[in-house]
Amino acid sequence: MNYNQLGNSAVQVSDISFGCMSLGTDHTANAALLHRALDAGITLFDTADLYNKGLNEETVGKALHGRRRQVALATKVGNQWRPDGSGWDWNPTKAYILQAAEDSLRRLQTDYIDLYQLHGGTLDDPIDETIEAFERLKEQGKIRAYGISSIRPNVIREYVRKSNIASVMMQYSLLDRRPEESCLALLHEHQISVLARGSYAQGLLLSKPAKPYLSYSAAEVQRAAEVVKQVAGSTSTPAEVAVEFVLKQPVVASAVLGIRTEQQLDDAISAALHRSLPAAELEILRRALPANHYEQHR
């Protein structure tokens, strides 16, 4: 396992991290899975107050409470559940973020969060107020670093310009190369790390039947999956190749892999022991399809 500094912060993260969103409600089973991941060297565990109405944070906190100093806990804020539970509303205000942080600290059974992330964002938000909330929490020692989870270049540029974010979580894979157009270079220039989610492109780069994805047709998706399999050959797996493609970007500090089962954890651990893709094989992957681009929020 390799470890990277998260932006300019003091937070160190494993280059493969555990996306906790899909964990079930069995605390014992979740703890076994999370502990096995930690024993294998995975140290970054990502959740959100939105997931399962806070129960996801609770199960992660319960499992990792006794090993808190060994892990980097990341969670997210901004989506406020309605009192009747019928859905959630976007709320990036300072007052809400400060209160939500207290609730997340309680559910996670910790007195600090390693990475606190805004779970979305638009240009219509009170961005200065949002940043003030994160800076206040950092001054209070309740968070070590903060970032945003966004795929919107216009929003990302605003936070790069105005804030001290350590990271941006964004979708990035062989089937979603939109961040290459402007975001990756901008973030690398400002020493802001990327946490890449969606490395498998919903499993389409692995074994799921091809279907249209973003701007790609089913035939193009099939072609990309075949190229990944070709590059993997007999010495690697498609999962390892898909993740290594993402990690070859210097700005990517960690690939966040959604894990719910033992097999998914096995795949993540295997990816952590990845071989380095030779330049020739990386070029084969890049030539599989023309890179796509963002059509909105540019």
Side-chain angles (χ1 to χ4, degrees):
M1 186 74 67
N2 294 318
Y3 300 89
N4 301 304
Q5 181 180 348
L6 194 68
N8 282 320
S9 77
V11 179
Q12 294 283 323
V13 299
S14 50
D15 62 2
I16 301 295
S17 46
F18 195 122
C20 301
M21 182 178 71
S22 297
L23 288 174
T25 56
D26 185 330
H27 292 316
T28 301
N30 292 342
L33 205 61
L34 292 164
H35 287 177
R36 185 172 161 231
L38 184 53
D39 290 340
I42 294 174
T43 58
L44 177 60
F45 296 84
D46 178 75
T47 179
D49 59 2
L50 177 67
Y51 303 157
N52 205 8
K53 298 182 179 179
L55 294 179
N56 195 266
E57 285 184 328
E58 287 186 11
T59 198
V60 171
K62 185 178 180 68
L64 298 176
H65 178 66
R67 305 180 68 175
R68 179 66 183 94
R69 302 300 172 182
Q70 298 174 253
V71 306
L73 282 179
T75 191
K76 309 180 195 75
V77 64
N79 295 293
Q80 183 177 17
W81 280 100
R82 297 173 193 140
D84 63 4
S86 63
W88 63 87
D89 299 303
W90 180 239
N91 189 349
T93 63
K94 181 177 181 179
Y96 177 67
I97 291 172
L98 294 177
Q99 180 55 56
E102 299 296 336
D103 295 335
S104 287
L105 287 166
R106 173 179 50 80
R107 287 190 292 262
L108 289 166
Q109 298 186 39
T110 184
D111 55 4
Y112 69 96
I113 295 164
D114 295 283
L115 176 65
Y116 203 33
Q117 302 159 99
L118 185 68
H119 204 172
T122 75
L123 290 181
D124 295 327
D125 293 345
I127 293 177
D128 291 337
E129 182 180 328
T130 301
I131 294 169
E132 286 176 10
F134 285 117
E135 290 290 348
R136 170 80 63 84
L137 290 167
K138 194 173 177 182
E139 290 169 5
Q140 293 173 338
K142 294 177 180 178
I143 66 174
R144 296 178 65 199
Y146 66 94
I148 62 173
S149 177
S150 177
I151 62 170
R152 299 184 175 195
N154 54 6
V155 172
I156 291 169
R157 284 194 297 270
E158 281 298 289
Y159 277 89
V160 169
R161 184 170 69 87
K162 291 185 170 185
S163 76
N164 296 307
I165 55 172
S167 64
V168 176
M169 180 177 286
M170 63 173 63
Q171 188 168 293
Y172 180 55
S173 72
L174 183 60
L175 284 174
D176 189 354
R177 294 172 59 191
R178 295 175 298 175
E180 292 179 8
E181 184 178 4
S182 61
C183 293
L184 297 187
L186 174 68
L187 295 171
H188 189 56
E189 176 188 350
H190 290 271
Q191 296 182 282
I192 297 168
S193 294
V194 168
L195 299 177
R197 60 179 178 83
S199 303
Y200 301 150
Q202 299 178 357
L204 294 172
L205 291 172
L206 308 185
S207 57
K208 284 192 175 180
K211 66 177 183 179
Y213 185 79
L214 298 176
S215 60
Y216 295 124
S217 66
E220 289 173 317
V221 168
Q222 180 65 34
R223 186 187 315 151
E226 289 171 353
V227 172
V228 168
K229 186 176 181 180
Q230 170 195 334
V231 169
S234 60
T235 58
S236 297
T237 67
E240 291 169 355
V241 171
V243 170
E244 180 60 12
F245 174 83
V246 168
L247 292 176
K248 289 298 285 188
Q249 290 284 353
V251 71
V252 175
S254 188
V256 183
L257 304 181
I259 299 172
R260 179 177 50 84
T261 67
E262 291 285 348
Q263 183 57 57
Q264 289 169 342
L265 178 55
D266 287 341
D267 290 342
I269 294 171
S270 176
L273 304 175
H274 57 82
R275 65 190 179 109
S276 180
L277 275 175
E281 292 185 353
L282 184 62
E283 188 61 24
I284 290 171
L285 292 169
R286 290 186 174 279
R287 289 182 178 178
L289 295 174
N292 43 10
H293 302 284
Y294 287 116
E295 297 178 358
Q296 297 178 316
H297 313 294
R298 296 173 60 86

